[in-house]
Amino acid sequence: MTPASAPAARTPLNRARVVAEALATADEAGLESLSMRSLADRLGVVPMALYKHVSNKEELLDAMVDAVIREIQPRDVADDWKEAAREQVMAARRTMLQHPWAWRAIETREAPSPAALDRMEAMIGTLRSGGLSAPLVHHVMHTLGSRLWGFSQEVFATGPQPTDPQAAQEAMEMMAARWPSVLESAMSTLHQQDTAVGPGCDDETEFTFALDLILDAAERLHTQGWTPGPRSDGATRVGAP
Amino acid sequence: MTPASAPAARTPLNRARVVAEALATADEAGLESLSMRSLADRLGVVPMALYKHVSNKEELLDAMVDAVIREIQPRDVADDWKEAAREQVMAARRTMLQHPWAWRAIETREAPSPAALDRMEAMIGTLRSGGLSAPLVHHVMHTLGSRLWGFSQEVFATGPQPTDPQAAQEAMEMMAARWPSVLESAMSTLHQQDTAVGPGCDDETEFTFALDLILDAAERLHTQGWTPGPRSDGATRVGAP
DNA sequence: ACCTGAACACCGTTCAAGT
DNA sequence: ACCTGAACACCGTTCAAGT
Protein backbone atom coordinates (compact mmCIF):
# COMPACT_ATOMS: atom_id res chain seq x y z
CA MET A 1 0.00 0.00 0.00
CA THR A 2 2.52 2.59 1.17
CA PRO A 3 4.96 3.53 -1.62
CA ALA A 4 8.33 1.97 -0.99
CA SER A 5 10.03 5.38 -1.10
CA ALA A 6 7.86 6.87 1.70
CA PRO A 7 8.48 5.97 5.33
CA ALA A 8 5.72 4.08 7.16
CA ALA A 9 3.02 6.34 8.61
CA ARG A 10 3.95 5.24 12.13
CA THR A 11 7.17 6.69 13.50
CA PRO A 12 9.69 3.87 13.38
CA LEU A 13 10.54 2.42 16.74
CA ASN A 14 13.91 3.24 18.22
CA ARG A 15 15.57 2.87 21.59
CA ALA A 16 14.92 6.47 22.62
CA ARG A 17 11.18 6.14 21.97
CA VAL A 18 11.01 2.86 23.85
CA VAL A 19 12.75 4.34 26.90
CA ALA A 20 10.73 7.57 26.77
CA GLU A 21 7.45 5.69 26.64
CA ALA A 22 8.56 3.47 29.51
CA LEU A 23 9.37 6.56 31.58
CA ALA A 24 5.97 8.06 30.76
CA THR A 25 4.24 4.83 31.79
CA ALA A 26 6.08 4.71 35.12
CA ASP A 27 5.38 8.40 35.80
CA GLU A 28 1.68 8.02 35.00
CA ALA A 29 0.83 4.57 36.31
CA GLY A 30 3.71 3.42 38.48
CA LEU A 31 6.48 0.91 37.95
CA GLU A 32 4.20 -2.06 38.61
CA SER A 33 2.17 -1.13 35.52
CA LEU A 34 5.20 -1.40 33.28
CA SER A 35 5.48 -4.72 31.51
CA MET A 36 7.08 -5.50 28.19
CA ARG A 37 3.65 -6.41 26.90
CA SER A 38 1.87 -3.28 28.17
CA LEU A 39 4.69 -1.12 26.82
CA ALA A 40 4.43 -2.77 23.42
CA ASP A 41 0.68 -2.13 23.45
CA ARG A 42 1.24 1.56 24.19
CA LEU A 43 3.65 1.77 21.28
CA GLY A 44 1.30 -0.13 18.99
CA VAL A 45 3.75 -2.93 18.34
CA VAL A 46 4.06 -6.59 19.16
CA PRO A 47 6.07 -7.35 22.36
CA MET A 48 8.88 -8.94 20.38
CA ALA A 49 9.52 -5.66 18.57
CA LEU A 50 10.90 -4.16 21.79
CA TYR A 51 13.67 -6.72 21.88
CA LYS A 52 15.22 -5.09 18.82
CA HIS A 53 16.02 -2.04 20.96
CA VAL A 54 16.56 -3.38 24.48
CA SER A 55 17.96 -6.82 25.09
CA ASN A 56 15.63 -7.50 28.00
CA LYS A 57 13.56 -5.81 30.70
CA GLU A 58 16.51 -5.31 33.05
CA GLU A 59 18.34 -3.35 30.37
CA LEU A 60 15.23 -1.23 29.87
CA LEU A 61 15.16 -0.45 33.61
CA ASP A 62 18.89 0.37 33.45
CA ALA A 63 18.18 2.89 30.69
CA MET A 64 15.26 4.41 32.60
CA VAL A 65 17.38 4.84 35.73
CA ASP A 66 20.20 6.34 33.69
CA ALA A 67 17.79 8.88 32.20
CA VAL A 68 16.37 9.86 35.60
CA ILE A 69 19.82 10.26 37.16
CA ARG A 70 20.80 12.43 34.20
CA GLU A 71 17.95 14.79 35.20
CA ILE A 72 19.68 15.60 38.49
CA GLN A 73 20.93 19.16 38.08
CA PRO A 74 22.55 20.68 41.15
CA ARG A 75 22.45 24.48 41.31
CA ASP A 76 25.69 26.40 41.45
CA VAL A 77 26.43 27.21 45.05
CA ALA A 78 29.22 28.77 47.07
CA ASP A 79 32.54 27.01 46.98
CA ASP A 80 32.11 25.61 50.47
CA TRP A 81 32.42 21.84 49.99
CA LYS A 82 29.74 20.98 52.54
CA GLU A 83 27.17 23.33 51.06
CA ALA A 84 28.03 22.03 47.57
CA ALA A 85 27.64 18.41 48.68
CA ARG A 86 24.34 19.24 50.35
CA GLU A 87 23.00 20.88 47.17
CA GLN A 88 23.97 17.88 45.07
CA VAL A 89 22.01 15.56 47.34
CA MET A 90 19.04 17.92 47.49
CA ALA A 91 19.05 18.15 43.69
CA ALA A 92 18.83 14.36 43.56
CA ARG A 93 15.93 14.55 45.96
CA ARG A 94 14.08 17.08 43.78
CA THR A 95 14.38 14.65 40.88
CA MET A 96 13.12 11.72 42.97
CA LEU A 97 10.08 13.76 44.05
CA GLN A 98 9.23 14.09 40.36
CA HIS A 99 9.57 10.36 39.66
CA PRO A 100 8.12 8.58 42.69
CA TRP A 101 8.79 5.15 41.15
CA ALA A 102 12.49 5.82 40.52
CA TRP A 103 13.88 4.85 43.93
CA ARG A 104 12.52 1.32 43.55
CA ALA A 105 14.15 0.99 40.14
CA ILE A 106 17.44 2.47 41.37
CA GLU A 107 17.80 0.16 44.33
CA THR A 108 17.45 -2.94 42.17
CA ARG A 109 20.19 -1.97 39.67
CA GLU A 110 23.27 -4.14 39.84
CA ALA A 111 25.88 -1.75 38.45
CA PRO A 112 26.07 2.04 38.20
CA SER A 113 25.18 3.47 34.80
CA PRO A 114 27.40 6.11 33.17
CA ALA A 115 25.17 8.91 34.49
CA ALA A 116 25.40 7.37 37.98
CA LEU A 117 29.19 7.25 37.74
CA ASP A 118 29.19 10.90 36.64
CA ARG A 119 27.09 11.76 39.70
CA MET A 120 29.41 9.82 42.00
CA GLU A 121 32.45 11.41 40.35
CA ALA A 122 31.04 14.88 41.03
CA MET A 123 30.18 14.09 44.65
CA ILE A 124 33.50 12.43 45.42
CA GLY A 125 35.31 15.31 43.72
CA THR A 126 33.44 17.82 45.87
CA LEU A 127 34.28 15.98 49.08
CA ARG A 128 37.94 15.56 48.08
CA SER A 129 38.10 19.27 47.19
CA GLY A 130 37.27 19.96 50.83
CA GLY A 131 40.48 18.19 51.74
CA LEU A 132 38.87 14.98 53.05
CA SER A 133 41.12 11.96 52.56
CA ALA A 134 40.21 9.28 50.02
CA PRO A 135 39.44 6.62 52.67
CA LEU A 136 37.25 9.08 54.62
CA VAL A 137 35.38 10.04 51.47
CA HIS A 138 34.86 6.36 50.69
CA HIS A 139 33.29 5.77 54.10
CA VAL A 140 31.16 8.91 53.85
CA MET A 141 29.81 7.78 50.48
CA HIS A 142 28.80 4.46 52.05
CA THR A 143 27.27 6.25 55.01
CA LEU A 144 25.18 8.42 52.71
CA GLY A 145 24.03 5.26 50.94
CA SER A 146 20.75 5.83 49.12
CA ARG A 147 20.65 9.45 50.31
CA LEU A 148 23.19 10.25 47.59
CA TRP A 149 20.36 9.45 45.18
CA GLY A 150 17.83 11.58 47.01
CA PHE A 151 15.92 9.02 49.00
CA SER A 152 16.26 7.14 52.22
CA GLN A 153 15.10 3.61 52.47
CA GLU A 154 12.02 3.68 54.70
CA VAL A 155 12.13 0.14 55.98
CA PHE A 156 8.79 0.05 57.69
CA ALA A 157 6.93 2.91 56.13
CA THR A 158 4.03 3.44 58.45
CA GLY A 159 1.39 2.41 55.95
CA PRO A 160 -1.88 4.19 55.23
CA GLN A 161 -3.32 5.15 58.57
CA PRO A 162 -6.81 3.80 59.27
CA THR A 163 -9.27 6.44 58.12
CA ASP A 164 -12.12 5.11 60.24
CA PRO A 165 -11.82 7.08 63.51
CA GLN A 166 -12.82 4.10 65.64
CA ALA A 167 -10.25 1.82 64.01
CA ALA A 168 -7.61 4.51 64.52
CA GLN A 169 -8.58 4.77 68.18
CA GLU A 170 -8.28 1.00 68.64
CA ALA A 171 -4.91 0.86 66.88
CA MET A 172 -3.66 3.65 69.15
CA GLU A 173 -4.80 1.81 72.27
CA MET A 174 -3.07 -1.40 71.18
CA MET A 175 0.14 0.52 70.50
CA ALA A 176 -0.10 2.24 73.89
CA ALA A 177 -0.42 -1.13 75.62
CA ARG A 178 2.34 -3.08 73.86
CA TRP A 179 4.62 -0.51 72.23
CA PRO A 180 4.37 2.71 74.26
CA SER A 181 7.81 4.03 73.28
CA VAL A 182 7.13 3.47 69.58
CA LEU A 183 3.87 5.35 69.94
CA GLU A 184 5.47 8.21 71.87
CA SER A 185 8.20 8.48 69.25
CA ALA A 186 5.73 8.45 66.37
CA MET A 187 3.64 11.13 68.03
CA SER A 188 6.64 13.34 68.76
CA THR A 189 7.09 14.57 65.20
CA LEU A 190 4.61 15.47 62.53
CA HIS A 191 5.44 14.45 58.99
CA GLN A 192 4.92 16.50 55.86
CA GLN A 193 3.11 14.37 53.29
CA ASP A 194 3.83 16.75 50.42
CA THR A 195 7.62 16.57 50.59
CA ALA A 196 7.90 12.80 51.01
CA VAL A 197 9.39 10.46 48.43
CA GLY A 198 6.92 7.59 48.31
CA PRO A 199 4.74 6.52 51.24
CA GLY A 200 5.85 6.67 54.85
CA CYS A 201 7.71 9.52 56.42
CA ASP A 202 10.82 10.02 54.30
CA ASP A 203 10.01 13.71 54.25
CA GLU A 204 12.16 16.79 53.92
CA THR A 205 12.68 17.20 57.67
CA GLU A 206 13.87 13.63 58.23
CA PHE A 207 15.97 13.66 55.10
CA THR A 208 17.80 16.90 55.86
CA PHE A 209 18.29 15.94 59.51
CA ALA A 210 20.14 12.79 58.50
CA LEU A 211 21.99 14.50 55.65
CA ASP A 212 23.26 17.34 57.85
CA LEU A 213 24.15 14.91 60.61
CA ILE A 214 26.33 12.94 58.19
CA LEU A 215 27.97 15.95 56.53
CA ASP A 216 28.64 17.63 59.89
CA ALA A 217 30.15 14.42 61.23
CA ALA A 218 32.29 14.07 58.11
CA GLU A 219 33.59 17.61 58.61
CA ARG A 220 34.34 16.94 62.25
CA LEU A 221 36.20 13.71 61.50
CA HIS A 222 38.21 15.49 58.82
CA THR A 223 39.09 18.36 61.15
CA GLN A 224 40.12 15.89 63.84
CA GLY A 225 42.47 14.20 61.38
CA TRP A 226 40.60 10.92 61.13
CA THR A 227 42.59 8.00 59.77
CA PRO A 228 41.44 4.45 59.03
CA GLY A 229 41.80 1.91 61.80
CA PRO A 230 40.60 2.17 65.38
CA ARG A 231 37.16 3.36 66.25
CA SER A 232 36.79 7.12 66.11
CA ASP A 233 35.59 7.31 69.72
CA GLY A 234 38.85 5.84 70.92
CA ALA A 235 37.36 2.55 72.14
CA THR A 236 39.44 -0.45 71.20
CA ARG A 237 37.97 -2.69 68.56
CA VAL A 238 40.22 -5.40 67.22
CA GLY A 239 39.47 -8.47 65.15
CA ALA A 240 36.33 -9.87 63.55
CA PRO A 241 33.36 -11.08 65.63
CA MET B 1 -6.44 -47.50 53.61
CA THR B 2 -5.26 -45.65 56.73
CA PRO B 3 -7.54 -46.38 59.72
CA ALA B 4 -9.72 -43.41 60.47
CA SER B 5 -8.47 -43.25 64.08
CA ALA B 6 -4.79 -42.93 63.05
CA PRO B 7 -3.47 -39.63 61.70
CA ALA B 8 -2.47 -39.60 58.05
CA ALA B 9 1.07 -40.83 57.42
CA ARG B 10 2.00 -37.35 56.20
CA THR B 11 2.23 -34.72 58.95
CA PRO B 12 -0.81 -32.52 58.47
CA LEU B 13 0.00 -29.13 57.05
CA ASN B 14 -0.13 -26.17 59.37
CA ARG B 15 0.98 -22.58 59.24
CA ALA B 16 4.19 -23.21 61.20
CA ARG B 17 5.29 -25.94 58.78
CA VAL B 18 4.51 -23.76 55.77
CA VAL B 19 6.55 -20.84 57.15
CA ALA B 20 9.43 -23.10 58.28
CA GLU B 21 9.68 -24.73 54.87
CA ALA B 22 9.58 -21.32 53.18
CA LEU B 23 12.45 -20.13 55.40
CA ALA B 24 14.44 -23.28 54.58
CA THR B 25 13.86 -22.72 50.86
CA ALA B 26 15.04 -19.12 51.05
CA ASP B 27 18.10 -20.05 53.13
CA GLU B 28 19.07 -22.84 50.75
CA ALA B 29 18.14 -21.45 47.34
CA GLY B 30 17.44 -17.75 47.75
CA LEU B 31 14.26 -15.72 47.78
CA GLU B 32 13.88 -15.87 44.00
CA SER B 33 13.46 -19.64 44.24
CA LEU B 34 10.48 -19.31 46.54
CA SER B 35 7.17 -19.52 44.73
CA MET B 36 3.84 -20.73 46.04
CA ARG B 37 4.06 -23.57 43.54
CA SER B 38 7.63 -24.63 44.40
CA LEU B 39 6.84 -24.44 48.11
CA ALA B 40 3.77 -26.62 47.63
CA ASP B 41 5.92 -29.13 45.73
CA ARG B 42 8.44 -29.27 48.59
CA LEU B 43 5.63 -29.93 51.04
CA GLY B 44 4.08 -32.57 48.77
CA VAL B 45 0.80 -30.74 48.43
CA VAL B 46 -1.10 -28.92 45.73
CA PRO B 47 -0.51 -25.12 45.59
CA MET B 48 -4.04 -24.37 46.70
CA ALA B 49 -3.44 -26.22 49.99
CA LEU B 50 -1.11 -23.40 51.13
CA TYR B 51 -3.96 -20.91 50.96
CA LYS B 52 -5.57 -22.65 53.94
CA HIS B 53 -2.68 -21.40 56.10
CA VAL B 54 -1.56 -18.14 54.54
CA SER B 55 -3.97 -15.87 52.75
CA ASN B 56 -1.47 -14.99 50.00
CA LYS B 57 2.23 -14.77 49.23
CA GLU B 58 2.65 -11.35 50.84
CA GLU B 59 1.34 -12.71 54.13
CA LEU B 60 3.78 -15.60 53.85
CA LEU B 61 6.65 -13.13 53.41
CA ASP B 62 5.33 -11.14 56.39
CA ALA B 63 5.50 -14.29 58.51
CA MET B 64 9.01 -15.13 57.27
CA VAL B 65 10.27 -11.63 58.10
CA ASP B 66 8.61 -11.78 61.51
CA ALA B 67 10.39 -15.07 62.24
CA VAL B 68 13.78 -13.73 61.18
CA ILE B 69 13.42 -10.55 63.23
CA ARG B 70 12.46 -12.70 66.22
CA GLU B 71 15.87 -14.40 65.88
CA ILE B 72 17.65 -11.14 66.70
CA GLN B 73 19.03 -11.64 70.21
CA PRO B 74 21.19 -8.80 71.53
CA ARG B 75 23.70 -9.81 74.19
CA ASP B 76 23.50 -8.22 77.61
CA VAL B 77 25.93 -5.34 77.70
CA ALA B 78 26.87 -2.57 80.10
CA ASP B 79 24.18 -0.06 80.92
CA ASP B 80 25.73 2.60 78.70
CA TRP B 81 22.94 3.48 76.27
CA LYS B 82 25.25 3.91 73.28
CA GLU B 83 26.95 0.57 73.78
CA ALA B 84 23.54 -1.08 74.27
CA ALA B 85 22.16 0.49 71.09
CA ARG B 86 25.25 -0.59 69.19
CA GLU B 87 24.89 -4.19 70.37
CA GLN B 88 21.23 -4.27 69.34
CA VAL B 89 22.13 -3.21 65.82
CA MET B 90 25.07 -5.61 65.62
CA ALA B 91 22.81 -8.43 66.79
CA ALA B 92 20.47 -7.63 63.92
CA ARG B 93 23.46 -7.75 61.62
CA ARG B 94 24.50 -11.19 62.87
CA THR B 95 21.01 -12.44 62.04
CA MET B 96 21.09 -10.90 58.54
CA LEU B 97 24.44 -12.57 57.83
CA GLN B 98 22.72 -15.89 58.53
CA HIS B 99 19.79 -15.16 56.18
CA PRO B 100 21.26 -13.36 53.17
CA TRP B 101 17.84 -13.11 51.52
CA ALA B 102 16.16 -11.46 54.49
CA TRP B 103 17.05 -7.83 53.77
CA ARG B 104 15.24 -7.98 50.43
CA ALA B 105 12.13 -9.35 52.10
CA ILE B 106 12.31 -6.82 54.94
CA GLU B 107 12.57 -3.79 52.68
CA THR B 108 9.43 -4.74 50.77
CA ARG B 109 7.20 -5.12 53.87
CA GLU B 110 4.54 -2.47 54.18
CA ALA B 111 3.95 -2.52 57.92
CA PRO B 112 6.07 -3.62 60.87
CA SER B 113 5.22 -7.06 62.26
CA PRO B 114 4.82 -7.60 66.01
CA ALA B 115 8.42 -8.78 66.30
CA ALA B 116 9.55 -5.68 64.41
CA LEU B 117 7.59 -3.45 66.77
CA ASP B 118 9.17 -5.25 69.73
CA ARG B 119 12.60 -4.58 68.24
CA MET B 120 11.78 -0.90 67.67
CA GLU B 121 10.33 -0.63 71.18
CA ALA B 122 13.57 -1.99 72.65
CA MET B 123 15.76 0.35 70.59
CA ILE B 124 13.68 3.44 71.26
CA GLY B 125 13.57 2.51 74.95
CA THR B 126 17.35 2.24 75.05
CA LEU B 127 17.84 5.62 73.39
CA ARG B 128 15.26 7.27 75.65
CA SER B 129 16.94 5.70 78.69
CA GLY B 130 20.07 7.66 77.73
CA GLY B 131 18.04 10.82 78.22
CA LEU B 132 17.60 11.66 74.52
CA SER B 133 14.37 13.53 73.86
CA ALA B 134 11.51 11.86 72.00
CA PRO B 135 11.90 14.05 68.87
CA LEU B 136 15.66 13.44 68.77
CA VAL B 137 15.12 9.69 69.12
CA HIS B 138 12.59 9.81 66.32
CA HIS B 139 15.09 11.49 63.99
CA VAL B 140 17.86 9.10 65.01
CA MET B 141 15.65 6.11 64.22
CA HIS B 142 15.04 7.55 60.75
CA THR B 143 18.74 8.26 60.29
CA LEU B 144 19.60 4.68 61.19
CA GLY B 145 17.05 3.52 58.62
CA SER B 146 17.76 -0.01 57.45
CA ARG B 147 20.81 -0.20 59.71
CA LEU B 148 18.43 -0.81 62.61
CA TRP B 149 17.72 -4.12 60.88
CA GLY B 150 21.37 -4.97 60.37
CA PHE B 151 21.90 -4.00 56.76
CA SER B 152 22.61 -0.90 54.76
CA GLN B 153 21.12 -0.46 51.37
CA GLU B 154 23.99 -0.79 48.91
CA VAL B 155 22.53 1.19 46.06
CA PHE B 156 25.09 0.38 43.45
CA ALA B 157 26.77 -2.69 44.78
CA THR B 158 29.89 -2.94 42.71
CA GLY B 159 28.88 -6.13 40.97
CA PRO B 160 31.02 -9.19 40.36
CA GLN B 161 34.41 -7.93 39.32
CA PRO B 162 35.65 -9.22 35.93
CA THR B 163 37.68 -12.34 36.62
CA ASP B 164 39.51 -12.20 33.30
CA PRO B 165 42.67 -10.15 34.06
CA GLN B 166 42.63 -8.41 30.71
CA ALA B 167 38.99 -7.36 31.08
CA ALA B 168 39.77 -6.08 34.58
CA GLN B 169 42.67 -4.08 33.18
CA GLU B 170 40.48 -2.53 30.49
CA ALA B 171 37.74 -1.66 32.98
CA MET B 172 40.31 0.01 35.19
CA GLU B 173 41.66 2.10 32.31
CA MET B 174 38.17 3.24 31.36
CA MET B 175 37.45 4.24 34.95
CA ALA B 176 40.76 6.09 35.17
CA ALA B 177 39.89 8.09 32.06
CA ARG B 178 36.30 9.07 32.82
CA TRP B 179 35.82 8.58 36.57
CA PRO B 180 39.22 9.01 38.22
CA SER B 181 37.86 10.08 41.62
CA VAL B 182 35.48 7.12 41.74
CA LEU B 183 38.39 4.81 40.99
CA GLU B 184 40.65 6.42 43.57
CA SER B 185 37.91 6.14 46.18
CA ALA B 186 37.21 2.51 45.35
CA MET B 187 40.91 1.66 45.56
CA SER B 188 41.36 3.46 48.88
CA THR B 189 39.68 0.81 51.01
CA LEU B 190 39.71 -2.95 50.80
CA HIS B 191 36.47 -4.74 51.52
CA GLN B 192 35.99 -7.92 53.50
CA GLN B 193 33.88 -10.34 51.48
CA ASP B 194 33.21 -12.66 54.43
CA THR B 195 31.47 -10.11 56.66
CA ALA B 196 29.25 -8.58 53.99
CA VAL B 197 25.47 -8.89 53.88
CA GLY B 198 24.71 -9.73 50.26
CA PRO B 199 26.90 -8.64 47.35
CA GLY B 200 28.79 -5.37 47.17
CA CYS B 201 30.70 -3.85 50.02
CA ASP B 202 28.24 -3.57 52.89
CA ASP B 203 30.88 -5.14 55.08
CA GLU B 204 31.62 -4.89 58.77
CA THR B 205 33.98 -1.95 58.41
CA GLU B 206 31.56 0.20 56.42
CA PHE B 207 28.64 -0.79 58.58
CA THR B 208 30.30 0.02 61.90
CA PHE B 209 31.77 3.27 60.56
CA ALA B 210 28.31 4.55 59.70
CA LEU B 211 26.73 3.15 62.86
CA ASP B 212 29.30 4.76 65.14
CA LEU B 213 29.09 8.01 63.21
CA ILE B 214 25.34 8.13 63.77
CA LEU B 215 25.42 7.12 67.44
CA ASP B 216 28.28 9.52 68.20
CA ALA B 217 26.43 12.34 66.45
CA ALA B 218 23.26 11.50 68.39
CA GLU B 219 25.19 11.69 71.65
CA ARG B 220 26.72 15.02 70.68
CA LEU B 221 23.37 16.51 69.69
CA HIS B 222 21.87 15.31 72.97
CA THR B 223 24.73 16.77 75.01
CA GLN B 224 24.42 20.06 73.16
CA GLY B 225 20.73 20.18 74.05
CA TRP B 226 19.39 19.75 70.53
CA THR B 227 15.78 20.82 70.02
CA PRO B 228 13.62 20.54 66.89
CA GLY B 229 13.59 23.47 64.54
CA PRO B 230 16.56 25.29 63.04
CA ARG B 231 19.45 23.44 61.49
CA SER B 232 21.89 22.05 64.01
CA ASP B 233 24.81 23.91 62.46
CA GLY B 234 23.13 27.23 63.11
CA ALA B 235 22.55 28.09 59.45
CA THR B 236 19.11 29.50 58.82
CA ARG B 237 16.76 27.31 56.89
CA VAL B 238 13.20 28.49 56.62
CA GLY B 239 10.36 27.39 54.37
CA ALA B 240 9.96 24.70 51.75
CA PRO B 241 12.02 24.64 48.51
C1' DA C 1 16.67 -10.13 5.70
C1' DC C 2 13.24 -8.87 8.37
C1' DC C 3 9.26 -9.45 11.28
C1' DT C 4 5.98 -11.74 14.32
C1' DG C 5 2.35 -15.26 15.87
C1' DA C 6 2.38 -18.84 18.57
C1' DA C 7 4.43 -21.24 22.07
C1' DC C 8 7.23 -22.11 26.23
C1' DA C 9 7.90 -22.05 30.96
C1' DC C 10 6.67 -19.95 34.37
C1' DC C 11 3.77 -16.78 38.03
C1' DG C 12 -0.25 -15.90 41.94
C1' DT C 13 -4.86 -16.80 42.58
C1' DT C 14 -9.90 -18.13 41.63
C1' DC C 15 -13.52 -21.21 41.33
C1' DA C 16 -16.39 -24.75 40.19
C1' DA C 17 -16.59 -29.49 40.16
C1' DG C 18 -15.66 -33.75 42.51
C1' DT C 19 -15.60 -36.73 46.64
C1' DA D 1 -17.52 -30.13 54.61
C1' DC D 2 -13.46 -30.62 52.63
C1' DC D 3 -10.18 -30.77 48.94
C1' DT D 4 -8.18 -29.91 44.38
C1' DG D 5 -7.77 -30.02 39.08
C1' DA D 6 -8.34 -27.03 35.82
C1' DA D 7 -8.60 -22.55 34.47
C1' DC D 8 -7.82 -17.51 34.50
C1' DA D 9 -5.11 -13.65 33.75
C1' DC D 10 -1.07 -12.52 33.61
C1' DC D 11 4.54 -12.57 33.12
C1' DG D 12 9.39 -12.40 30.23
C1' DT D 13 11.40 -14.57 26.50
C1' DT D 14 12.31 -18.04 22.63
C1' DC D 15 11.91 -19.64 18.16
C1' DA D 16 10.32 -21.33 14.07
C1' DA D 17 7.47 -20.19 10.46
C1' DG D 18 5.87 -16.72 7.29
C1' DT D 19 6.61 -12.85 4.05
Side-chain angles (χ1 to χ4, degrees):
Chain A
M1 293 286 203
T2 314
S5 57
R10 194 178 302 284
T11 318
L13 214 55
N14 56 44
R15 190 183 163 95
R17 269 192 73 216
V18 170
V19 175
E21 200 70 26
L23 288 168
T25 304
D27 283 341
E28 290 164 21
L31 203 56
E32 74 285 356
S33 301
L34 180 70
S35 73
M36 296 300 273
R37 294 167 114 104
S38 70
L39 181 58
D41 274 355
R42 269 179 76 121
L43 288 161
V45 297
V46 82
M48 249 305 287
L50 301 176
Y51 288 83
K52 290 261 132 174
H53 305 102
V54 290
S55 59
N56 51 43
K57 193 181 179 180
E58 282 299 294
E59 205 202 87
L60 173 64
L61 287 166
D62 288 346
M64 293 169 69
V65 165
D66 191 68
V68 167
I69 290 177
R70 215 176 292 276
E71 281 182 27
I72 299 172
Q73 295 293 348
R75 300 188 190 109
D76 267 331
V77 291
D79 48 12
D80 172 50
W81 70 269
K82 210 169 68 168
E83 215 45 55
R86 189 179 203 274
E87 166 56 19
Q88 287 181 53
V89 171
M90 294 311 289
R93 186 168 182 81
R94 291 194 295 272
T95 300
M96 291 308 132
L97 284 166
Q98 263 158 29
H99 303 287
W101 53 270
W103 68 274
R104 277 258 169 242
I106 290 172
E107 71 175 14
T108 54
R109 292 314 86 206
E110 296 211 334
S113 72
L117 285 164
D118 287 344
R119 187 89 295 287
M120 291 162 78
E121 180 74 17
M123 188 66 174
I124 292 169
T126 296
L127 296 173
R128 295 282 284 127
S129 79
L132 280 66
S133 71
L136 179 57
V137 167
H138 183 106
H139 288 318
V140 169
M141 292 291 284
H142 273 288
T143 303
L144 283 171
S146 69
R147 289 189 178 94
L148 179 62
W149 309 104
F151 62 96
S152 71
Q153 187 183 46
E154 286 291 313
V155 172
F156 288 118
T158 322
Q161 305 291 348
T163 42
D164 171 25
Q166 198 190 328
Q169 179 68 24
E170 278 169 25
M172 200 91 92
E173 277 164 22
M174 189 175 191
M175 291 288 291
R178 295 183 54 183
W179 302 290
S181 299
V182 174
L183 181 65
E184 180 203 43
S185 183
M187 293 287 112
S188 72
T189 310
L190 289 177
H191 287 293
Q192 318 151 256
Q193 275 292 90
D194 54 326
T195 61
V197 172
C201 40
D202 171 20
D203 65 14
E204 199 92 341
T205 307
E206 299 301 341
F207 190 83
T208 56
F209 177 92
L211 175 58
D212 290 330
L213 181 150
I214 294 166
L215 293 179
D216 289 348
E219 182 175 42
R220 191 171 298 108
L221 289 172
H222 169 54
T223 306
Q224 291 172 352
W226 177 91
T227 50
R231 267 172 65 178
S232 55
D233 60 2
T236 51
R237 181 174 158 69
V238 196
Chain B
M1 292 280 204
T2 315
S5 57
R10 193 178 304 284
T11 317
L13 212 57
N14 57 46
R15 189 183 163 97
R17 270 192 74 216
V18 170
V19 175
E21 199 71 25
L23 287 169
T25 304
D27 284 341
E28 290 163 21
L31 203 56
E32 75 284 356
S33 301
L34 180 70
S35 73
M36 295 300 273
R37 294 167 115 103
S38 69
L39 182 58
D41 272 356
R42 269 179 76 122
L43 288 161
V45 297
V46 82
M48 247 307 286
L50 301 175
Y51 289 82
K52 288 263 131 169
H53 305 101
V54 290
S55 58
N56 51 44
K57 193 181 181 181
E58 281 299 294
E59 203 203 90
L60 174 63
L61 287 166
D62 288 346
M64 292 169 70
V65 165
D66 190 70
V68 167
I69 289 177
R70 214 176 291 276
E71 280 181 28
I72 300 172
Q73 295 293 347
R75 300 188 190 106
D76 267 330
V77 290
D79 48 13
D80 172 49
W81 70 269
K82 210 170 66 169
E83 215 45 55
R86 190 180 203 275
E87 167 55 18
Q88 286 180 52
V89 171
M90 294 312 289
R93 186 166 181 83
R94 291 194 295 274
T95 300
M96 292 308 133
L97 285 166
Q98 264 159 27
H99 303 287
W101 53 269
W103 67 274
R104 276 257 169 244
I106 289 171
E107 71 176 14
T108 53
R109 292 314 86 207
E110 295 210 335
S113 72
L117 285 163
D118 287 345
R119 186 92 292 290
M120 292 162 78
E121 179 74 17
M123 187 67 174
I124 292 170
T126 296
L127 296 174
R128 295 284 282 128
S129 78
L132 280 67
S133 71
L136 179 56
V137 166
H138 184 106
H139 288 319
V140 169
M141 291 291 284
H142 273 288
T143 304
L144 283 171
S146 69
R147 289 189 178 92
L148 178 63
W149 309 105
F151 63 96
S152 72
Q153 189 181 43
E154 285 293 314
V155 172
F156 287 118
T158 322
Q161 305 290 347
T163 42
D164 172 25
Q166 199 192 325
Q169 181 67 25
E170 278 168 27
M172 200 92 90
E173 277 162 22
M174 188 174 193
M175 292 287 293
R178 295 183 55 182
W179 302 291
S181 299
V182 174
L183 182 65
E184 180 203 44
S185 182
M187 293 287 113
S188 72
T189 309
L190 290 176
H191 287 294
Q192 319 150 255
Q193 274 293 86
D194 53 328
T195 61
V197 172
C201 40
D202 169 22
D203 66 12
E204 199 91 342
T205 307
E206 298 301 341
F207 191 83
T208 56
F209 177 92
L211 174 58
D212 289 330
L213 182 150
I214 293 166
L215 293 178
D216 289 348
E219 183 176 40
R220 190 171 300 107
L221 289 172
H222 169 54
T223 306
Q224 292 172 354
W226 176 91
T227 50
R231 267 171 66 178
S232 55
D233 60 4
T236 49
R237 179 174 162 67
V238 196

